[in-house]
């Protein structure tokens, strides 16, 4: 990366024009990536991204930045691996240091079942061209020396899967990089613009109604994560999504102590150490539906008790902040990408607890779907119709909660 | 930690309860007659409002009563569901 000074601004703040070829609703990571690839890959630049708050102020600002592609099912492995390959060239592509660090992701096994599931997933990953290794407990400890693998703990570590190409990135840099790139290609990024309704005639969407007035659109592409159901309802659509709080926290700043990402599905913990030094930890979702962007403290408490079993060295570390984002979870814990019963209205939602890692891949396939009018081959299995055909992509069972 | 009012036990900590999702989802009267779309609706489609939501809770670590409440999905305020039984109505 170049060492030149950071520019004074990264994008214009234009007023909306009366009409666009494509209106993307939601200025988070996925919406911004979609806009960038629409312009860069497909030459479609008459595009607006409408964001009710500020760019990347929702889940993009709240996630734990874990990046991996070691999913069990073929469809998931394909789209997440596509995304990981894009991550590997993204800092150069966007000319922005995303602090993408492939430090390796461990997924711990605490029971015989976990061991079997982990080994099976490693085999499936390898068959799909996704790098994956199985580590026994000693090897896991060698890879992550502060990990407690002893046999007398509540959650003994019996082994782990390792994806060496997995890691973390700096979430806001990702959003800013995509935003700057999209803006430079002519996309209008419009903040403080809430979509309050849709103009639909003859079964086709014609315009969005916003807090800044009516904006006509050839295609309207939803990219609103946890608030997708609210928008869809305004278009008369019912989607198989439930919005839940997902909590995360950071510790005070520490010297480098944790060299990789450690995830444990069984005990609902995932932890890494950010470049700045804080430990970043995520929990499982709160069970009830919510748009309140906060969760219950006992969920954090359970997460911390399990984390301390795995990392006794952290027992005197102080938590600095906790927060929650609102994640839209589909029945099979896989995304919903593609067309809807309303012509010209597309949906990209349901990424649930795992959307950050998918940001480049999601934007890539969504842009292609918008540009061509048919699902990108990697998006095709993730269509809304799978809930009727029964062809689910059940990553609930395969990826469990830490997603 | 939220306080949730069980109709039998009264207000108790949230950790005693399990969430049951949207209330009023009845098993189809004639399952064999359902189309694939109708099955998808019954199995997968649930309301997901920003605002008041009519939903089920289960006092799993208490009296094991299933009951319904109205809960606001932004404020998390819980109101009694008029259709849910009151303590004096339990035999």
């Amino acid at each position: 990366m170049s060492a030149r000074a950071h520019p004074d601004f990264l994008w214009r703040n234009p007023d909306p024009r009366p009409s666009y070829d494509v209106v993307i609703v939601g200025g988070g990571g996925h919406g911004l990536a979609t806009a960038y690839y629409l312009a860069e890959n497909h030459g479609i630049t008459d595009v607006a991204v409408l964001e009710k708050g500020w760019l990347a102020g929702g889940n993009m600002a709240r996630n734990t930045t874990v990046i991996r592609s070691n999913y069990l099912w073929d469809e998931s492995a394909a789209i997440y691996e596509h995304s990981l390959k894009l991550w590997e060239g993204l800092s150069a592509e966007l000319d922005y240091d995303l602090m993408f660090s492939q430090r390796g992701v461990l997924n711990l096994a605490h029971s015989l079942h976990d061991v079997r599931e982990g080994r099976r997933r490693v085999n499936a990953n390898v068959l799909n061209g996704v790098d994956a290794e199985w580590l026994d407990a000693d090897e896991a400890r060698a890879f992550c020396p502060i990990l407690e693998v002893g046999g007398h703990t509540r959650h003994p570590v019996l082994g782990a899967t390792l994806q060496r190409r997995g890691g973390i990135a700096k979430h806001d840099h990702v959003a800013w990089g995509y935003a700057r790139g999209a803006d430079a290609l002519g996309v209008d990024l419009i903040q403080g613009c809430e979509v309050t309704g849709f103009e639909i005639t003859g079964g086709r969407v014609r315009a969005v109604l916003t807090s800044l007035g009516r904006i006509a659109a050839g295609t309207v592409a939803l990219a609103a994560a946890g608030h997708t159901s609210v928008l869809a309802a305004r278009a008369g659509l019912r989607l198989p999504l439930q919005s839940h709080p997902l909590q995360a926290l950071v510790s005070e700043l520490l010297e480098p102590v944790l060299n990789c990402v450690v995830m444990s599905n069984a005990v609902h913990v995932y932890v890494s150490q950010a470049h700045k030094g804080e430990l970043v930890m995520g929990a499982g979702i709160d069970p009830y539906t919510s748009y309140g962007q906060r969760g219950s403290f006992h969920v954090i408490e359970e997460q911390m008790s399990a984390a301390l079993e795995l990392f006794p060295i952290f027992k005197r570390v102080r938590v600095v902040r906790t927060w929650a984002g609102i994640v839209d979870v589909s029945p099979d814990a896989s995304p919903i990408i593609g067309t809807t019963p309303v012509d010209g209205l597309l949906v990209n939602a349901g990424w649930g607890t795992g959307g950050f890692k998918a940001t480049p891949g999601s934007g890539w396939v969504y842009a292609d779907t918008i540009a061509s009018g048919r699902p990108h081959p990697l998006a095709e299995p993730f269509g809304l119709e799978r809930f009727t055909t029964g062809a689910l992509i059940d990553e609930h069972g395969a990826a469990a909660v830490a997603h | 930690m939220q306080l949730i009012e069980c109709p039998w036990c009264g207000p108790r900590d949230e950790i005693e309860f399990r969430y049951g999702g949207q209330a009023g989802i009845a098993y189809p009267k004639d399952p064999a007659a359902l189309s694939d779309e109708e099955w998808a609706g019954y199995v997968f489609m649930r309301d997901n409002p920003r605002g008041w939501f009519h939903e089920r809770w289960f006092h799993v670590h208490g009296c094991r009563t299933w009951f319904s409440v109205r809960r606001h999905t932004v404020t998390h305020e819980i109101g009694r569901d008029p259709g849910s039984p009151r303590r004096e109505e339990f035999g």
Side-chain angles (χ1 to χ4, degrees):
Chain A
M1 295 301 299
S2 65
R4 66 174 179 268
H6 198 277
D8 291 337
F9 70 94
L10 294 172
W11 52 81
R12 304 160 291 130
N13 278 303
D15 292 327
R17 298 202 299 269
S19 127
Y20 291 92
D21 286 346
V22 179
V23 164
I24 296 167
V25 185
H30 289 222
L32 293 169
T34 303
Y36 174 78
Y37 290 121
L38 267 176
E40 176 68 21
N41 293 357
H42 304 283
I44 298 174
T45 57
D46 187 21
V47 177
V49 178
L50 308 184
E51 167 55 50
K52 70 174 177 178
W54 58 89
L55 292 186
N59 292 348
M60 196 63 176
R62 296 160 194 270
N63 70 88
T64 54
T65 80
V66 177
I67 296 167
R68 61 188 180 89
S69 65
N70 55 352
Y71 282 70
L72 176 68
W73 301 115
D74 295 349
E75 299 87 347
S76 312
I79 196 165
Y80 287 103
E81 177 62 15
H82 179 63
S83 193
L84 180 50
K85 288 203 171 92
L86 290 172
W87 278 112
E88 288 172 330
L90 201 56
S91 287
E93 159 101 19
L94 298 175
D95 188 23
Y96 205 117
D97 185 2
L98 308 180
M99 299 168 84
F100 176 53
S101 162
Q102 292 179 291
R103 57 184 64 184
V105 173
L106 286 178
N107 290 80
L108 304 180
H110 302 289
S111 66
L112 186 56
H113 172 78
D114 283 354
V115 170
R116 288 171 174 155
E117 184 278 329
R119 297 184 76 110
R120 178 192 181 201
R121 187 159 43 76
V122 164
N123 289 330
N125 290 161
V126 169
L127 287 171
N128 275 320
V130 175
D131 73 301
E133 296 163 47
W134 173 256
L135 306 184
D136 65 22
D138 290 340
E139 290 167 333
R141 174 114 202 215
F143 188 77
C144 182
I146 62 170
L147 181 64
E148 175 61 57
V149 299
H152 297 292
T153 56
R154 185 175 160 208
H155 306 291
V157 175
L158 304 182
T161 68
L162 169 61
Q163 183 174 28
R164 291 183 192 271
R165 288 165 61 240
I168 58 173
K170 187 88 177 90
H171 50 91
D172 41 11
H173 288 205
V174 178
W176 299 339
Y178 274 123
R180 182 181 66 163
D183 176 85
L185 293 166
V187 172
D188 281 358
L189 307 177
I190 299 163
Q191 305 180 67
C193 180
E194 182 176 7
V195 171
T196 54
F198 299 86
E199 198 176 292
I200 297 168
T201 55
R204 179 169 190 89
V205 67
R206 312 285 174 179
V208 291
L209 309 174
T210 81
S211 54
L212 299 179
R214 177 186 185 274
I215 301 172
T219 302
V220 176
L222 302 183
H227 285 71
T228 302
S229 294
V230 176
L231 284 166
R234 290 172 188 163
L237 287 178
R238 203 163 176 232
L239 297 173
L241 294 172
Q242 296 278 278
S243 296
H244 292 272
L246 176 64
Q247 299 187 78
L249 60 89
V250 289
S251 75
E252 60 195 318
L253 305 186
L254 305 174
E255 293 293 317
V257 62
L258 178 59
N259 60 326
C260 60
V261 181
V262 178
M263 309 179 64
S264 169
N265 290 347
V267 299
H268 295 209
V269 167
Y270 34 111
V271 55
S272 67
Q273 186 172 19
H275 295 83
K276 198 167 66 180
E278 70 270 39
L279 296 172
V280 183
M281 297 194 188
I285 59 170
D286 282 63
Y288 46 82
T289 61
S290 172
Y291 291 87
Q293 290 187 321
R294 65 193 184 283
S296 297
F297 193 72
H298 67 87
V299 174
I300 297 275
E301 209 171 14
E302 280 169 26
Q303 166 204 4
M304 296 307 289
S305 70
L308 292 185
E309 287 273 330
L310 298 173
F311 299 102
I313 193 175
F314 294 159
K315 81 179 165 193
R316 298 180 67 179
V317 174
R318 281 166 293 197
V319 170
V320 174
R321 277 184 297 126
T322 76
W323 66 88
I326 299 303
V327 298
D328 45 331
V329 179
S330 71
D332 58 0
S334 287
I336 299 169
I337 314 167
T339 55
T340 69
V342 178
D343 287 344
L345 180 63
L346 277 67
V347 67
N348 184 2
W351 292 93
T353 59
F356 177 75
K357 70 175 80 67
T359 302
S362 165
W364 183 285
V365 302
Y366 200 28
D368 182 84
T369 301
I370 294 164
S372 65
R374 55 103 190 91
H376 184 283
L378 293 178
E380 208 168 359
F382 295 98
L384 194 50
E385 62 280 359
R386 74 177 184 273
F387 299 101
T388 305
T389 64
L392 302 183
I393 303 162
D394 187 10
E395 291 292 350
H396 260 314
V401 286
H403 191 24
Chain B
M1 182 77 67
Q2 301 181 79
L3 276 181
I4 296 173
E5 188 168 345
C6 167
W8 177 253
C9 305
R12 294 294 185 94
D13 284 348
E14 176 191 345
I15 52 170
E16 295 186 14
F17 297 87
R18 183 174 297 165
Y19 186 58
Q22 185 177 356
I25 305 290
Y27 189 75
K29 284 202 172 66
D30 185 6
L34 257 56
S35 67
D36 287 351
E37 286 74 19
E38 287 166 330
W39 270 119
Y42 168 68
V43 176
F44 296 125
M45 297 290 180
R46 296 292 181 270
D47 292 340
N48 189 25
R50 181 186 165 92
W52 288 103
F53 190 36
H54 188 204
E55 63 187 18
R56 302 282 282 163
W57 286 84
F58 177 34
H59 197 185
V60 59
H61 298 303
C63 65
R64 300 185 66 78
T65 295
W66 277 98
F67 59 98
S68 302
V69 303
R70 290 172 72 250
R71 187 179 58 93
H72 197 282
T73 61
V74 179
T75 64
H76 296 175
E77 182 187 351
I78 293 178
R80 181 182 282 277
D81 170 32
S84 208
R86 292 168 178 277
R87 184 180 172 102
E88 54 272 22
E89 290 172 323
F90 284 87

